[in-house]
Each structure stands twice: as C-alpha cells, then as structure tokens.
Amino acid sequence: MTHSYTIMPTIDATGKLLSPLFIVMQEISGDFGPLVKKDLFTAPNIYVTASRSRKMMKDHLKTWLEEVYFPHVGDRTVLVIDFWSTYKNQALLNNATPEGREVQVVTVPAKTTSLCQPLDVYGFRMWKDFARKIWDWVLQDDVKCEMHLRNSVLKLQSLVHNQFSSPRFRDMWKVGWSHPGYFENDEHFEFKTPSQFCFDSEAAKQNEKCSSPTCPKFHFLKCAWCKCTLCFEHFFHCNHFCELIN
C-alpha cells in the first residue's frame, strides 16, 4: 500500500528549521491501529499523526500549535500562515495559546501563497528535490528498500528534515523571508542548497568510499552535519541521524 501524507515544516526568520516536523499520514480509519502504533517508526525530529484524507483538520492544527509550535518559540511571536479557513479559527488559536504567551497571526492573502509564504517561495522545492534524489537512487540501483511503506516514508522525512536542519542551510531558509520583502534590508545570501552540498560534492565527483569503517561501498551522500561520505545503507538503513557539525 502506498501511503499519502502531508508534511508541515516550520522555519523562523533567523533561518532555523524548527523541530519536530509535523506529519499527517493518510489512514483509512483516520487513526493508527494498535499494531501499527506498536511498530511505527519514531524519531526525535518528527511528530506523526493521522487523518482519513491526509489533510490537516482543526484537531491537527490544535495539536501542531500545542506540540510543535509553542514549545519551540519565544513568548511573543508573529506566525505567518496560509489563507486557509481553519487558520481563521480564532477561538481554536486562543484555546491552544498557553497562558502568558502572545502570538500575532499574519495571513498570506488568497492566491499569493507562492509569492508570500516563505516555504513556498524557497523551501518546498528544495525539500522535494532532495527526497526525489533518494527515491531515484533506490529505483535506479534496484536497492532493496520498500520506500512506499509507512515506516520508510517516516524515516525518509525524518532524515531529510535532519539534513535540512544543518546550520549550513540557514542562509537558504532566510531567502524565503527576504525575497517577499518581510524585512527592509535587501541582503544577498550565498549558499549551497542541500542537494548541491550532499549529492554534488567533490566526494561524489571522485566517487569516494563510504566513511564507515570496513564498508566497501561508495558515495551516496555527504552528511550536511558531519561531512562524512555515506553509502545508501549507512545513510538510510542505518538511519544516519546526525547533529555533530563539522
């Protein structure tokens, strides 16, 4: 079975990708059964929930606010969100806002998401491209990995989020804020995208061996944190979750 899902990354204006990544999986019943919950892939940088349609509903927004947003932001914040009817539910926002916290909501006008929503301006395209490169590798090299399965999807998104969270990419995330004009300064940022850094590095050109001791396999990716050269097995199957910047 192929699993449809929605991801909801969160970035701040300093160029930081917040954790965890919110994921809504499509499940026929609208929830995970007891056996699925028991074996569900978990990681410290993802928060997983479910719905019948994989789309975010009011309950999901409330969960995102309570479990993802407010625990990882300051006491006074400005939240930039899409023009979506659920986001207009002021009562829901008020109920989810902890005592002593303030949040001002800025709603992107209808039909301007691609121009004004920071992640749509510069972010989602990079994310999809990175995930697609992993998928393509599995297909082209006939790797034994069932990427369509629920746990593979969750591991993939966890690993992509982890790589994109590297401090190397903070200037990239800032583009989504600066380009639409959220800030007065017209700062120019120089950076490599995650795909350029991880897949198109000198290690890739020279087809370096995997950094894991005794591993005879060759370059799949260079970690955006530790800069180690990794084969697919040591990146994906061994779940290379890294927070050691080099």
Side-chain angles (χ1 to χ4, degrees):
M1 177 180 177
T2 299
H3 287 272
S4 297
Y5 59 96
T6 295
I7 64 169
M8 189 169 175
T10 310
I11 58 172
D12 69 18
T14 69
K16 184 179 180 181
L17 176 63
L18 303 187
S19 184
L21 170 69
F22 193 71
I23 305 176
V24 182
M25 301 287 294
Q26 183 179 25
E27 299 291 331
I28 295 175
S29 66
D31 198 2
F32 300 116
L35 293 179
V36 172
K37 286 182 179 179
K38 180 181 177 182
D39 296 326
L40 196 67
F41 175 84
T42 60
N45 66 333
I46 58 173
Y47 187 101
V48 184
T49 185
S51 76
R52 288 189 176 89
S53 66
R54 78 168 170 79
K55 295 180 180 179
M56 284 188 63
M57 310 303 287
K58 290 181 181 179
D59 288 346
H60 298 113
L61 176 59
K62 183 175 183 293
T63 300
W64 176 79
L65 288 166
E66 294 176 342
E67 303 294 337
V68 177
Y69 183 73
F70 283 115
H72 299 96
V73 298
D75 290 339
R76 300 180 64 192
T77 56
V78 177
L79 176 61
V80 180
I81 53 178
D82 289 334
F83 189 84
W84 177 44
S85 58
T86 301
Y87 287 144
K88 299 177 184 178
N89 192 323
Q90 189 61 47
L92 186 153
L93 180 62
N94 292 340
N95 290 334
T97 303
E99 187 176 353
R101 308 288 288 276
E102 295 180 27
V103 56
Q104 177 184 345
V105 175
V106 175
T107 304
V108 172
K111 300 181 180 180
T112 66
T113 297
S114 62
L115 301 174
C116 302
Q117 212 275 14
L119 280 164
D120 281 272
V121 171
Y122 207 88
F124 281 134
R125 182 167 59 87
M126 305 301 166
W127 197 293
K128 292 176 182 177
D129 177 65
F130 196 95
R132 189 178 300 114
K133 287 183 182 296
I134 299 175
W135 267 92
D136 288 347
W137 181 276
V138 172
L139 295 174
Q140 292 171 8
D141 282 42
D142 196 23
V143 177
K144 292 182 179 180
C145 184
E146 298 178 290
M147 297 294 288
H148 62 285
L149 297 181
R150 184 189 291 107
N151 279 349
S152 293
V153 167
L154 295 177
K155 180 187 283 189
L156 170 67
Q157 291 300 328
S158 169
L159 288 169
V160 174
H161 179 275
N162 175 243
Q163 290 296 304
F164 276 55
S165 296
S166 169
R168 300 183 200 283
F169 304 130
R170 287 202 172 183
D171 283 346
M172 179 190 76
W173 293 120
K174 289 178 184 178
V175 173
W177 295 99
S178 63
H179 190 71
Y182 284 102
F183 305 110
E184 292 182 1
N185 63 322
D186 188 21
E187 188 175 355
H188 178 69
F189 300 106
E190 298 256 346
F191 57 85
K192 287 185 177 180
T193 67
S195 287
Q196 289 171 335
F197 184 91
C198 296
F199 294 110
D200 300 331
S201 65
E202 194 64 30
K205 296 174 183 176
Q206 297 183 12
N207 198 25
E208 292 183 2
K209 279 192 173 183
C210 178
S211 298
S212 182
T214 72
C215 181
K217 297 182 180 180
F218 292 91
H219 175 278
F220 164 67
L221 167 150
K222 181 169 78 170
C223 176
W225 286 86
C226 65
K227 297 173 69 174
C228 284
T229 297
L230 300 167
C231 66
F232 182 83
E233 180 176 349
H234 281 99
F235 172 68
F236 192 84
H237 290 308
C238 295
N239 193 31
H240 182 76
F241 188 92
C242 187
E243 293 179 319
L244 178 64
I245 192 68
N246 182 1

